[in-house]
Amino acid sequence: MTYWVLNLCFLVPAAALLSAALLRRRRTGLRNRAFTLRLAGTAGVLLGLTAVFDNLMIAVDLFGYNPSRISGAFLGLAPLEDFAYPLAAVLLLPALWELLSPRTAAPSKENQ
């Protein structure tokens, strides 16, 4: 099994849950634009930190990858497959927060 196949096991459900969360937000009258902009900003920060720290950890030989299981595409020393985990976190955690939060009152203007 390659790392991309393993990553799909996390990314597909995370993307599906985020889609469900965005639909729920739309049905309850909340705007998705600010929500998705915050997600994109968070993804940028997390992916940037992953790039820096994964490259540092690989450079000092804390861990490595089986060359037969990676795609061969790298960002510095880190294989692209390594960036799927923070991406899954960015998709999954806000989606779960949104889906598990009760919606009892009408949304206020500041929550949109």
Side-chain angles (χ1 to χ4, degrees):
M1 176 185 300
T2 65
Y3 289 114
W4 279 122
V5 173
L6 180 63
N7 290 341
L8 286 177
C9 295
F10 295 96
L11 288 173
V12 170
L17 283 171
L18 182 62
S19 296
L22 291 172
L23 286 173
R24 180 178 188 226
R25 287 179 62 83
R26 182 179 293 163
R27 271 189 266 125
T28 57
L30 294 173
R31 291 189 213 152
N32 286 329
R33 181 176 166 87
F35 184 73
T36 53
L37 286 174
R38 287 190 298 266
L39 285 177
T42 302
V45 169
L46 268 179
L47 292 172
L49 289 170
T50 299
V52 169
F53 288 106
D54 280 9
N55 277 288
L56 287 173
M57 290 187 288
I58 293 168
V60 298
D61 223 9
L62 286 177
F63 61 90
Y65 294 91
N66 183 340
S68 67
R69 304 215 189 264
I70 59 175
S71 65
F74 293 88
L75 187 60
L77 298 172
L80 287 185
E81 291 92 329
D82 219 16
F83 294 89
Y85 305 111
L87 182 59
V90 168
L91 299 176
L92 183 62
L93 295 176
L96 288 175
W97 182 275
E98 183 66 32
L99 292 171
L100 297 175
S101 296
R103 294 274 184 229
T104 55
S108 66
K109 290 287 185 188
E110 62 189 41
N111 288 337
Q112 294 182 0

